Amino acid sequence: MLIDRIKLFESGFQAIKENIEKLLQQSDAKAVLLVDRDGNLITNAGETEKIDLESFATLAAADFAATSQLAELIGEQQFLTLYHQGERDHLYFQALARNIIIAVIFDQRTTLGLVRVRVKHAAQTLSKILEDIFGGQEQLAPEEEARIEDISKDIEDELDRLFG
Amino acid sequence: MALINYATREINFKIVYYGPGLGGKTTNLRWIYGELDQNTKGKMITLATEMDRTLFFDFLPVDLGRVRGFQTRLRLYTVPGQVFYNATRRIILRGADGLIFVADSQRERREDNLDSLRNLKDNLATFDLRLPDVPYVMQYNKRDLPNLMTVAEMDELLNPNRVPYFESVATQGIGIFETLKEIAKTVIRKF
Ligand SMILES: Nc1nc2c(ncn2[C@@H]2O[C@H](COP(=O)(O)OP(=O)(O)OP(=O)(O)O)[C@@H](O)[C@H]2O)c(=O)[nH]1
Ligand SMILES: [Mg+2]
């Protein structure tokens, strides 16, 4: 809940984005997404125009969450990776630090083996970046905090306008 | 859990509809989906049984537009109310920024409401949370039916923390946006 609030700032976000794009290239995948455990899409790269990203992120997170429960039932902590094989397109998911998930969409241009290796490599780098970001979560610049408060008032106006 | 992305200027809030099976949670989301403009809402996802009972969740993203440069989005979820779906219910509850408890006003559903509220508290406890610590509002639904508990009775029974409550008829859209607006405001104020 509120304690769990995720804040992403420019520098951390850029580092994440660069690594996601690098993974896309090195794995020859169609698309790569980074999603938090509640299905918030953090960033994406590749051919995503035809995908409803919000739905994808929500369902990927739900898939992962459900599978984690299955893991517990058989005495595993968590499944760190998930693979879904389609006729043309396939999905490969990998859990990172802090319950963030990499989702890779790929087709015959590459192989599961290559995707697996590249994701594993990227996961180490990304997990470290995420730990750095969330470890330093308390150091919010005061002027940014102030800006959030201002927003609350505006959002209330927006709610009045939208919902009557 | 709220995601604030300063780099892309986005804020997401997660709001969860909780309550007993057949109480009207999915009907709330359907009504909201039906009323909002195409550019305000995303796709509604429903993971349900063949009998139209929620199996995992319903999901609807609602865009509040840009507020001082921040794209602000409510991510609405319903849980499955049926008792035996607790594992999936817990998954959806986790990380909620705010809750709407949809109670069924019919007198014969008294115990089901109580059970669901108790279950909510138990599930929150597994995340080390207590209900009073969580932003939430009550919705007393199905006010169009006969043999109802009075609002005073329901409040006495289900609302010891005296949070805001709304009478609703979800099938007719009565009280739906009032409830949503209140929880959204509460969540944002606490933010
Ligand atoms: N008369 C009346 N019927 C309602 C009202 N709200 C919901 N219903 C009906 O109650 C039934 C159950 O509603 P749902 O929205 O599916 O209930 P739910 O809480 O999502 O149920 P689960 O998915 O099992 O948890 C449906 O047939 C609805 O049409 C209401 O205000 N009045
Ligand atoms: Mg439902």
Side-chain angles (χ1 to χ4, degrees):
Chain A
M1 307 241 172
L2 300 177
I3 320 143
D4 264 350
R5 178 191 311 181
I6 292 188
K7 292 175 188 164
L8 277 176
F9 294 98
E10 197 68 49
S11 60
F13 182 72
Q14 285 310 332
I16 289 171
K17 198 160 171 57
E18 278 163 27
N19 277 280
I20 291 296
E21 268 156 19
K22 194 161 123 195
L23 172 59
L24 176 76
Q25 280 163 13
Q26 293 186 336
S27 64
D28 285 326
K30 266 176 97 163
V32 180
L33 289 81
L34 200 71
V35 174
D36 79 12
R37 71 171 180 195
D38 284 317
N40 294 302
L41 178 66
I42 296 172
T43 189
N44 68 91
E47 302 164 29
T48 53
E49 309 77 31
K50 293 203 181 98
I51 305 168
D52 181 337
L53 290 176
E54 178 111 41
S55 298
F56 185 96
T58 300
L59 288 167
D63 186 8
F64 225 92
T67 315
S68 299
Q69 297 287 303
L70 281 176
E72 273 183 32
L73 288 180
I74 63 165
E76 285 285 326
Q77 277 264 321
Q78 194 190 7
F79 297 124
L80 288 174
T81 63
L82 288 184
Y83 172 52
H84 296 297
Q85 186 176 6
E87 281 199 357
R88 278 192 316 271
D89 290 347
H90 324 294
L91 296 178
Y92 187 78
F93 296 158
Q94 162 97 41
L96 304 178
R98 307 280 171 163
N99 296 301
I100 308 272
I101 303 157
I102 301 180
V104 180
I105 306 167
F106 66 100
D107 59 16
Q108 83 292 342
R109 280 174 285 180
T110 184
T111 63
L112 175 60
L114 182 66
V115 168
R116 198 190 289 277
V117 170
R118 294 304 188 192
V119 167
K120 194 169 177 189
H121 189 73
Q124 286 170 356
T125 316
L126 279 164
S127 283
K128 193 171 172 316
I129 294 171
L130 291 167
E131 289 292 4
D132 286 349
I133 291 175
F134 294 117
Q137 197 77 113
E138 296 313 310
Q139 314 147 11
L140 179 60
E143 69 270 24
E144 286 284 26
E145 196 71 275
R147 204 173 300 160
I148 286 289
E149 258 176 45
D150 290 347
I151 293 167
S152 301
K153 177 77 187 68
D154 278 10
I155 293 179
E156 289 201 22
D157 294 345
E158 193 64 21
L159 287 170
D160 285 333
R161 195 183 62 73
L162 264 181
F163 303 154
Chain B
M1 96 191 88
L3 172 76
I4 318 172
N5 191 333
Y6 288 90
T8 58
R9 303 265 132 191
E10 290 176 310
I11 306 181
N12 289 352
F13 296 104
K14 176 175 181 177
I15 291 173
V16 174
Y17 288 77
Y18 210 96
L22 296 177
K25 301 176 291 297
T26 298
T27 310
N28 264 265
L29 241 62
R30 287 215 181 106
W31 183 271
I32 294 164
Y33 182 80
E35 287 295 301
L36 291 179
D37 289 348
Q38 213 52 251
N39 55 357
T40 304
K41 68 189 174 194
K43 194 167 137 48
M44 179 162 167
I45 299 174
T46 291
L47 301 182
T49 66
E50 277 181 25
M51 306 295 288
D52 215 23
R53 303 294 300 273
T54 305
L55 175 63
F56 198 165
F57 61 86
D58 304 293
F59 169 72
L60 176 64
V62 176
D63 243 307
L64 301 184
R66 278 195 180 274
V67 182
R68 275 200 211 170
F70 273 80
Q71 189 70 36
T72 306
R73 194 177 292 124
L74 303 178
R75 310 183 83 246
L76 309 180
Y77 285 85
T78 74
V79 299
Q82 290 183 89
V83 173
F84 45 87
Y85 290 141
N86 197 46
T88 50
R89 193 159 44 240
R90 266 194 62 218
I91 288 174
I92 300 309
L93 177 63
R94 188 179 62 189
D97 296 299
L99 305 174
I100 295 171
F101 189 90
V102 181
D104 193 324
S105 304
Q106 297 175 93
R107 201 163 279 288
E108 68 263 27
R109 299 301 307 279
R110 185 179 184 280
E111 290 306 313
D112 298 325
N113 289 324
L114 275 174
D115 286 347
S116 178
L117 191 63
R118 212 171 292 129
N119 169 261
L120 171 59
K121 288 177 190 163
D122 289 348
N123 281 335
L124 285 173
T126 67
F127 308 129
D128 289 326
L129 287 167
R130 292 167 54 255
L131 192 52
D133 305 331
V134 179
Y136 77 103
V137 299
M138 302 295 294
Q139 184 181 81
Y140 303 145
N141 192 33
K142 305 201 182 179
R143 299 309 297 177
D144 58 321
L145 293 177
N147 197 25
L148 297 181
M149 288 187 275
T150 66
V151 169
E153 276 177 286
M154 294 196 74
D155 224 39
E156 181 64 34
L157 186 71
L158 301 169
N159 193 9
N161 300 315
R162 295 286 178 252
V163 298
Y165 65 84
F166 296 85
E167 294 182 64
S168 67
V169 184
T171 38
Q172 298 168 29
I174 297 169
I176 299 309
F177 279 106
E178 288 81 350
T179 318
L180 177 59
K181 197 162 105 179
E182 182 62 30
I183 191 60
K185 282 188 177 181
T186 310
V187 164
I188 291 162
R189 257 185 238 122
K190 288 236 176 176
F191 198 65

